[in-house]
Amino acid sequence: PEVLTTLKLLMIGESNVGKSSILLRFTEDEFYENMQSTVGMDYKTKQITLDGDTVKLAIWDTAGQERFRTLTPSYYRDGQGAILVYDVTDRNTFIKLETWLEELNTYCNKIDIVKMVVGNKIDLPNREVSIEEALTFARRHQTLYIESSAKTDDGVKCCFEELVQKIIQT
Ligand code: GTP
Ligand code: MG
């Protein structure tokens, strides 16, 4: 089918929350228990069809680890959607979302970039952040919210589809 548009999406969040795993599950339908930390940045594309329209996604994934980070304002430039990932079993990664949002708002020249907060690793039993708390955060910052597991594939496709839907509507 004819590709209507290409959208640039950004994955951000602390190290080890599962950004690369979500991306790999979405683009290749694979999952690795011993995924290597991202060094610098990575990029994958995928086409999706929504309501009969084909959209090409260019998805950028960056290192959460400070020492591997080569984040520059150019990473954020022209981003139309941002996926802010935290780990539902690690409260610190949820708290750090504030910092990631600030960074996003500082560098994004497009103020109306659509944001999706993703609570990942819901397959694990030791949850530290409740859905209610996360929804309150999402409302306060006017972001979308979804929970996922890159391991079981829960919510992964939905995350990208809902974000793209919102970008297209905006
Ligand atoms: P950086 O590249 O360092 O920023 O980390 P990242 O956010 O890309 O995390 P990554 O995808 O490398 O995943 C970190 C670890 O968590 C890996 O061992 C994954 O196998 C594991 N992991 C990722 N997603 C899930 C999930 O949904 N459930 C479970 N149980 N483990 C996950
Ligand atoms: Mg990574």
Side-chain angles (χ1 to χ4, degrees):
E2 189 190 348
V3 177
L4 283 183
T5 183
T6 300
L7 299 179
K8 178 178 173 180
L9 307 183
L10 316 170
M11 313 277 307
I12 55 178
E14 289 299 288
S15 179
N16 205 47
V17 296
K19 298 179 296 297
S20 303
S21 298
I22 290 170
L23 185 54
L24 190 68
R25 172 62 84 187
F26 180 60
T27 56
E28 336 260 341
D29 200 19
E30 285 173 5
F31 176 78
Y32 299 117
E33 290 283 353
N34 53 348
M35 187 80 169
Q36 298 289 306
S37 243
T38 305
V39 176
M41 52 184 87
D42 197 10
Y43 164 88
K44 287 189 190 298
T45 62
K46 183 163 169 93
Q47 285 191 13
I48 62 166
T49 300
L50 277 182
D51 305 328
D53 295 332
T54 299
V55 177
K56 183 175 171 183
L57 304 181
I59 312 161
W60 290 80
D61 177 27
T62 186
Q65 276 193 66
E66 197 105 44
R67 64 193 167 115
F68 291 148
R69 218 176 287 163
T70 51
L71 267 188
T72 56
S74 67
Y75 177 78
Y76 291 104
R77 198 167 299 140
D78 302 325
Q80 284 143 309
I83 298 175
L84 294 114
V85 186
Y86 75 97
D87 173 350
V88 298
T89 71
D90 181 350
R91 169 164 289 275
N92 183 249
T93 66
F94 177 68
I95 290 165
K96 285 283 174 63
L97 284 181
E98 294 274 4
T99 314
W100 286 104
L101 269 177
E102 271 171 34
E103 176 139 334
L104 191 62
N105 292 334
T106 303
Y107 289 116
C108 258
N109 44 10
K110 195 163 175 268
I111 40 167
D112 52 344
I113 184 169
V114 180
K115 296 159 198 148
M116 168 68 89
V117 169
V118 181
N120 189 42
K121 306 200 188 182
I122 55 167
D123 58 285
L124 295 176
N126 48 325
R127 181 190 273 268
E128 289 186 358
V129 181
S130 70
I131 297 179
E132 292 71 27
E133 209 176 345
L135 283 173
T136 301
F137 177 89
R139 246 192 317 272
R140 185 152 48 87
H141 294 284
Q142 291 174 300
T143 76
L144 299 165
Y145 182 70
I146 204 164
E147 300 208 328
S148 71
S149 166
K151 184 170 178 173
T152 65
D153 199 15
D154 257 345
V156 172
K157 197 163 169 242
C158 257
C159 157
F160 289 93
E161 285 182 351
E162 285 183 20
L163 180 61
V164 169
Q165 195 88 58
K166 183 78 188 281
I167 294 170
I168 290 171
Q169 285 166 4
T170 305

